Each structure stands twice: as structure tokens, then as C-alpha cells.
Amino acid sequence: MAAPAMASGAGAAATLDAPSPLTLWYRQPATVWTEALAVGNGRLGGMVFGGVAKEQVQLNEDTLWSGGPYSPINPEAWDALAEVRALIAAGRYAEAEAMANARMMGKPVRQMSFQTLGDLWLEFPGLGAVHDYRRALDLDSAVATTRFQVGDSLHTREIFVSPVDQVLVVRLSATGTGRIDVDVGLTTPHAAEVRADAADLLAMRGSNGAEHGVDGALRFTCLVRALPTGGTVEGQGDRLKIRGAESVLLLLAAATSFRRYDDVSGDPDAITAGHILAAAPKPFGRLLDRHLASHRALFRRVTIDLGTSATASLPTDERVRDSGALNDPSLAALYHQFGRYLLICSSRPGTQPANLQGIWNDSLKPGWGSKYTININTEMNYWPAEPTALPELVDPLVALIRDLSETGARAAREMYRARGWMAHHNTDLWRATAPIDGAQYGLWPVGGAWLCLHLWDHYDYGRDIDFLASVYPLMKGAAVFFLDTLVEDAKGGFLMTSPSLSPENPHPHGASLVAGPAMDQQILRDLFDNCVKAAEILGLDPEFRGQCTATRARLAPDRIGRQGQLQEWMEDWDMQAPEIHHRHVSHLYAVYPSGQIDVFDTPELAAAARRSLEIRGDEATGWGIGWRLNLWARLGDAERAHHVLRMLLRPERTYPNLFDSHPPFQIDGNFGGTSGITEMLLRSRGNEIHLLPALPAAWPKGSVTGLRSRGTVRVDLSWSAGRLDHALLEARVAGRHRIRLGQQVTEIDLKPRKPVRVTRSGGKLAVAAL
Ligand code: FUC
């Protein structure tokens, strides 16, 4: 792997003259938020507009949400549970749903919202006429740059958020005789005070607000320290005025008093002052070098080349605009890397997990609260993490699951009188686990169980036994809840979840509530299987293992309906459901992200899944298309997958700044896109490594390096004329793997750090040590 190159302070701006395949660039400033460029360090986010006379950087801090610690479990829910179950068993679904709405939902019935911190404003009085304007975001350096000419002076503005120094860094510079006059301001829609604490220090201190009856409990602080070279700086009221500087360095720190979902005793003044004090003595070049080294250590693990076209040299907004009409394989490659970039910038060890908008949100009332929707969206955010070599970025998700195992134990105990823990379809900063929004969406008991798949997958890719031992109790707690709460189906004797629903799809009987939707059985099969495997590896809990195996055997199997489709519910209702083209494709969980249904091992069920996907249609929300992309790739239909990818990249689903459009902006589609493109090139299932499983004709020649397969295998691929040239495989731990390419299959034993080269020779696969 290439060692991360150290760039000098000038390195970032150079990309503007010759935009690389890893650059988003534009010929004009952003006029709306979805044209602004996203920077972030996992915790602190900025949206850079690139304005000339007035620059705006919209700001986020990942713990600034509405409300404060609260527990929304409704103690009356238990009293209604048996009646709701009985109504479902009697087929009186609408009555069950009405009763659940009246008696089982969380109090409040909504959760808290992730909110904007505010905006940094830079106003440049008397700047004069500007020409040769460009702005760009270089994914490889994670620096947003705006550059233009005023007279004979080149003005450059560079902005990044350092994961090392925990500050947003702005550097303003001008060549020749150009001097910088700038007024620096901060604003926020929260209750806050902005004032210059010193000549070179602007401070904004405030508090968050209540929502849905939950009082605000957070304080926040945002500091901006100005470090001009030459010229003067002066604090005036709520702004800093810098005049006649040769260059200006601004350091912005932000923090809240949040420490944990039940602890808001942090000191944001001390945290921000500490960040500024530590960063201020470092020259810009050093801040930049530290930032670059940290970013590139993650970002450069993967390279991808899917081929190029004439459109590749155009500004990014024009490429998105034209993507419906033109095949632009390098836009797909850029989108792939942009998803990895977004995960690096919105989820790092110690931060909050990426929410519905990652960490970028300009509102107090964003769509769906910009929170964690765990009936697909949060999981999709993390789909690319393991296969695209960003496993440490899963850390915040693991921490969230750990929190939910605490708050969700209360939901299990008080709502269901059960052991273990559970979560319904959403959570927030305060780790709420009660059913919300309405029974037809919220009364779904397997949100926590689905999240546990990520615990197992993190182990399975990385094979760290200590990690497995640390998360096994979480998996076990999730499984125990279902050992206690599954109910017996009177007709078949199967064990089922009840009440539940197939996210968020109404069935033909006037409700969504039901017992045993296909997705629940599929998720529980994975949960029980993974608990058994983990307990075996760790040598633990033989009795619990036996219970998991016995319970799993009594879950209803997947069923094929009259139209040849995979049934979404126990009954063959699919064709009568009122929303036949529904965005969720929950019953296809078994195909992706799980591998329970597969074209090679379960061809009949795979054909039924395909039929379901055809009936559902490809048109959906951003993430809905993202899921379909992964599914078509898993089903091995390269052309259909490519068609669906192009739907995702067109302007209806991709904003000029490459953010996914649900609409509105929702980041899951970006991550689903990155995952789907990866799935087209490499499929990792069990011990099988399937090379180029869905390579479309539009990408005849290309290469990818640094992808990961289960069992610590690093995979590089290169192909031409639509056929594999070679694959390089290298594992950190020994293991037997089955390599599949087209119809060819071969078994190999990989030894630690002994790379092998796989080629096609005379129609067969040839494996050679390197
Ligand atoms: C689920 C989806 C919606 C949206 C929301 C955040 O409720 O059905 O489409 O993505 O989550």
C-alpha cells in the first residue's frame, strides 16, 4: 500500500488547476445548501458555500440535538400487549393497530432532532471585481478550496476540519500585493450570545431547545480564534475585524455539554478553549499535514478506476446534470469514493454514528429529525465500512448498540416483561427505544437485532477475538429478548414476532401490524446463527446455544407466493398490498445485506427474490434505489445493477454537491451507492470470494485495490475487455477460501501475509504465490 504522502501547505490548492478524478469542482459559488461542500472530522461538520464577498460555512457538532436525557417507555404498553397480540392472531389487524396506537406508543411519540449549530460568516468589504473563480473539494485531502483572481492577486481560501486537532481550519491568502480585509461573524438559531471575548477571539455560547415536551438540557460553545499575518485584528461587538492582512488563519472549535445519553455535565467552554489553545501554536502547514496524514491513512486504502469519458473533465454539477443521458464511469468511481469520504468525515472512533444526514444539517427541524432510523437507514450507512476498508469507523455504531443495550433493557422489561434488550425503528442522541411516530411504523421489535448483524460482520471481516468477546453480551442480550417474546402461530406452530410489521409497508387488511413478517424471521435467523457461532468461538454458553438453535429451527421459512415472488408476510398478500411499489424491500434482507438467499445455494428463493424486485420496480427514494442496487448486484444482474446505479446518479437523486436526495438530503443513499458499486466488483459471502460478480458492459476496463473480504482478505482486481486480468489476495489470518469467477470455482488456503495472484488461464482459474 502506498505510504501517505505528506503535502505542504500549498498542496491542496494545486488540485484546482487540474482537477483530479477525486475532485468535486464548480465554476460558481453555492447558492443553496445542496451545492455547498461537506467537510468534517466525524464530530464537527462544515458546509462550505464558496461565496466571494460573503463566505458562509454552515456548522454542525454531532452532539447538538434537541431535548435532554429522557425515557419514553410507556408503562401502559404491557397492559395492552396481550390484547394487541390476540387481535392480530384473530386477523383483526386494523383494530390491533388502533389499540396499539392508543396504548403502546412512546411518550412522547416522537424523538429528538439533530440540529444545526449555526453559521460562520466571512465578509470581505471592498474586494473588487473577481475573475477565474473556482471552488473544489478534494476527497484525497479533505480540503475545500475556493480560488479566484482580483487584479493580479490570486486569492485562495482553504477549509478543513482536522480529526487530529479537533478544529475547523480556515486559511485565507492572497498573492503579490493583495491584502485581506475580513469581518468574521457567528450566528445561530438557538438561544445564544455572540461576542468578542478578546481582540482575536469570537465566542458564541448558547443552549439547545425543548422538543415534543422534552426540555433542552445542553449548553454549547463555539470559539473562533483569528491569527492574521500582518495587518490588524480587533473585536467589535459580535464580530472580529481583520484589516490589511497578508494571510489569515482562523481556528474554530465547538462542543456541547453532552457526555453520554444520561449525562450532560460536560464543560463546552473548557473543551473548546483546550482545542484552540492546543492548535494555535501550530503553523498552518503543520495543522494541514497532521490532518492529511490522518485522513489519508483511511481514505487511501482503496483506489478505484472504472474507466473514463470526455465528461470527466467537466464541473461536477454539469456531470450530475448530464448523467441521465451520458455514460460517465468516472462519476460512478467518484461517487464510490465520495461515500467513503463521507463516512470518514461523519463517523470516527469516539464520535456519534453517522445519522440520517451524516453530520450535515442546516435546520432545527430536519426531515425525520436527522436521527437514527434503524429499520434500514442507519444500517445502510455502515454497509460500505467493512468491504471498503474502513472498519474502525464502525466504532461509533458499536458504542450506540452498547448504549441501546442499556436503554433497550428497560423497553424489554417494561413493555414486554422480557429479559435482554430491544429497540424499535428509531433512536436518537438520548438512545430512546420506545415505538414512535405511529404503530404502523414504530411497533417493530427487531431494530436492535438488525444492528447486531454489524457486530458479527465487524468480527467476521477483521477476526479480532477480543472484539467479539466484548460485543458477544450485546448479541446475546438481543437474542434473549426473542427467546422470551416470540409467540406461537396457531396454524403452523412456528415461532413469530408479534406485534410487528414489514417496515413500513401496509398489508391489504387496513394496517401494517402483523405477526411474523418475513424480514423478522430472516433477521432472527442471522442473530441466532451469529450468537451460536460467536459462543462456539468463545467457548461459552452451551445451554444458550442450544436454545438459539432450537428456536431458530422453529422460525417460519421464507415462502414463495402465487406470483412466484418471495412473500413479504406469512400470508400470500403481496399482490393485494396497497403500495405494491413501496420503497422498502424488507423481505429481501435475506439477499442483501444477509446472504441467506443466494443464486448459487438457494436458486429457487433467489428467483423468487428477483420476481419480488421486479414487481416492486426500481423507482424509489434515494436509499430505496441504493438498496435495489445492492440487490441486483447480489442477484448477479450486472446490467440491471448498472441501470439502477445510473438512476441514483441522476439529478433527481443526486444534488450538485453529490449528496443523495431522498428527497430531501439523506446520506444513506450515498452509502448504499458505495456499497452497491463494491458489490458489483466483489462479493464476500461466508468463505466465498466472488470476483467481478456483476461487472457491467459499461465498465470494460478498470481496477480496484484494497477492498476487503471476510476473513481479513485484502482484494485487488484488474480487468480488461470485461474479463479479469488478475486478482491479488492477501490475508492477515490463515483460512480456506472459495474463489469464484463466472462459472469457475477453486479453493485456496491463504496463509498470513502470503499474497497470491489469481488469473484466468485456459478458461480455468490459476493461483500462484507472489
Ligand atoms: C424511513 C423511510 C423513509 C425515510 C425515513 C428516514 O421511515 O421509510 O423513507 O427514509 O426512514
Side-chain angles (χ1 to χ4, degrees), residues 23 91-92 161 229 287 304 359 452 454 655 681:
T23 305
R92 293 160 62 184
V161 189
T229 301
L287 292 168
I304 184 167
I359 48 167
C452 286
H454 292 260
Y655 291 109
L681 303 175

Side-chain angles (χ1 to χ4, degrees), residues 670-726:
N670 287 104
F671 295 132
T674 298
S675 162
I677 293 165
T678 309
E679 281 296 322
M680 292 167 77
L681 303 175
L682 178 71
R683 180 184 308 157
S684 173
R685 180 173 165 269
N687 75 339
E688 184 165 301
I689 301 172
H690 191 160
L691 310 175
L692 302 179
L695 184 68
W699 303 342
K701 181 170 165 49
S703 63
V704 62
T705 64
L707 296 182
R708 282 167 94 227
S709 209
R710 287 168 197 272
T712 75
V713 186
R714 180 201 145 117
V715 182
D716 297 353
L717 298 166
S718 94
W719 64 93
S720 54
R723 291 161 63 88
L724 182 82
D725 292 330
H726 68 259

Side-chain angles (χ1 to χ4, degrees), residues 356 368 373 375 377 425 504 583-584 621 623 662 666 668:
L356 286 173
W368 293 280
T373 304
N375 67 10
N377 315 85
H425 94 305
E504 304 169 5
R583 60 196 176 281
H584 286 260
T621 58
W623 64 260
H662 178 288
Q666 219 172 272
D668 37 28

Side-chain angles (χ1 to χ4, degrees), residues 76-85 99-100 103-104:
E76 288 168 26
W78 164 254
D79 300 329
L81 180 64
E83 281 175 77
V84 170
R85 277 182 179 154
M99 181 177 290
R103 295 174 56 191
M104 294 189 74

Side-chain angles (χ1 to χ4, degrees), residues 63 116 164 260 309 344 385 499 538 559 586 675 698:
T63 62
T116 183
V164 189
R260 237 177 81 95
S309 67
I344 294 169
L538 299 169
R559 295 172 178 190
S586 303
S675 162

